[in-house]
Amino acid sequence: MTELPDRRLLLVHAHPDDESINNGATMARYAAEGARVTLVTCTLGEHGEVIPAGLRHLTGTALGEHRLGELTAAMRELGVEDFRLLGGKGRYEDSGMMGIADNDDPACLWQADVDEAARELVEVILEVRPQVLVTYDPDGGYGHPDHIQAHRIAMRAAELADDAGWRIPKIYWNRVPRTVADEAFARLQADLPGLPFGKAAVVADVPGVVADERITTVIDGAAHATAKAAAMRAHATQIEVAEPTAPYFALSNELAQPLFTTEYYELVRGERAAEPGAAKETDLFAGVTLGEAS
């Protein structure tokens, strides 16, 4: 077996850009610290709405190819070398938003057999042997079918990996504490006149917002804020980041929302290991026996 770094983090996301929005600072931090950071993206986002007018001719497979290039550029900004597509390029297609005809396409992720897709992810788990898995909650954060399916696949793969010889010690779901979201949107309203966006989103538009007490882990990504913003900016078909360094961005709906450089998680498998006197964990690997890979 190839020698593995002491710390190994696996993230499972639905489309290119989800990783940078949700976990960009976390990924940059651990990559900079020498951990192995592995990203598995389930689709190429072939049905994403394109923001720049000059790129709106891209649809379907052509858009997916372009978004793969954006993902590659984003990973370069975050310092992440190991990023993959579930089952290989083109294995699963974007399902589009919930309730549209694209959901019925046999090739889309929403129609995938969860166990079959999970077994493809198990292959990655057995190779990388992560101590930490990060993915979405059962609602996918906001109800997108591909996000829901990515959650199902990741959680099922963790179960199957247990039987195949590798138990992932800690599993986290992406979260944002409600008070943090409320405070960030209050700042956004004050800053909105100086931003390139006409209107603001609302807290309900942010995936994974929950009551503060559900947050178990807080990753301070301030040192990697520039990398996260650059990674998000690399996903130019999907994201517009306020210039030059304002902590705001917009998706294709053109509604401004906060760019969080502190990232939050809920531990759903494993023992919480907060530092003495600390209310929350500050390290996804807290309490993990490092270096174990067999």
Side-chain angles (χ1 to χ4, degrees):
M1 180 186 295
T2 302
E3 186 174 351
L4 295 169
D6 285 344
R7 295 182 297 168
R8 302 176 299 277
L9 168 63
L10 172 64
L11 304 100
V12 177
H13 277 288
H15 317 102
D17 81 350
D18 294 325
E19 81 297 323
S20 296
I21 295 171
N22 287 278
N23 312 114
T26 299
M27 295 171 72
R29 168 190 161 173
Y30 285 111
E33 292 178 357
R36 177 164 182 170
V37 178
T38 299
L39 169 68
V40 175
T41 305
C42 295
T43 81
L44 285 174
E46 296 91 342
H47 296 300
E49 296 181 0
V50 176
I51 295 173
L55 295 175
R56 289 178 189 161
H57 63 283
L58 295 171
T59 60
T61 300
L63 177 57
E65 289 286 347
H66 188 89
R67 293 188 69 178
L68 178 57
E70 292 180 339
L71 179 62
T72 301
M75 293 304 94
R76 188 162 52 245
E77 297 291 352
L78 298 180
V80 172
E81 297 179 356
D82 185 8
F83 56 99
R84 314 167 185 216
L85 297 170
L86 182 66
K89 186 170 73 170
R91 177 67 179 86
Y92 300 105
E93 294 184 7
D94 186 352
S95 307
M97 298 300 288
M98 187 69 82
I100 67 173
D102 292 325
N103 299 169
D104 299 324
D105 185 342
C108 78
L109 187 68
W110 186 237
Q111 293 297 326
D113 179 272
V114 170
D115 274 10
E116 180 180 332
R119 284 191 290 270
E120 293 171 336
L121 183 57
V122 168
E123 294 180 9
V124 179
I125 292 172
L126 295 180
E127 175 193 341
V128 175
R129 298 185 176 263
Q131 298 116 329
V132 175
L133 168 65
V134 170
T135 190
Y136 312 105
D137 66 13
D139 187 49
Y142 70 111
H144 191 294
D146 288 337
H147 288 239
I148 294 171
Q149 198 76 322
H151 160 85
R152 293 172 177 169
I153 292 165
M155 299 303 289
R156 180 59 176 149
E159 293 177 353
L160 295 175
D162 290 350
D163 297 332
W166 184 256
R167 179 172 178 80
I168 301 172
K170 301 183 81 174
I171 300 177
Y172 293 92
W173 293 342
N174 295 307
R175 293 298 193 195
V176 178
R178 182 162 298 279
T179 59
V180 169
D182 288 342
E183 291 167 1
F185 273 90
R187 290 192 296 271
L188 169 57
Q189 287 296 335
D191 293 343
L192 190 60
L195 298 178
F197 315 117
K199 296 181 179 179
V202 295
V203 170
D205 294 322
V206 177
V209 175
V210 293
D212 290 31
E213 56 266 24
R214 292 186 60 175
I215 305 300
T216 60
T217 311
V218 179
I219 301 299
D220 181 356
H224 304 283
T226 299
K228 174 169 180 169
M232 290 175 63
R233 197 172 289 117
H235 291 288
T237 60
Q238 306 300 303
I239 305 172
E240 181 180 357
V241 179
E243 298 286 358
T245 57
Y248 302 108
F249 72 99
L251 302 174
S252 60
N253 59 14
E254 300 181 350
L255 299 177
Q257 58 179 292
L259 192 162
F260 295 106
T261 55
T262 297
E263 294 169 346
Y264 302 87
Y265 301 91
E266 179 181 1
L267 179 68
V268 297
R269 174 197 273 191
E271 294 297 322
R272 181 173 170 177
E275 299 169 2
K280 312 289 185 184
E281 293 180 326
T282 58
D283 179 6
L284 296 177
F285 293 89
V288 170
T289 301
L290 300 180
E292 291 188 353
S294 61

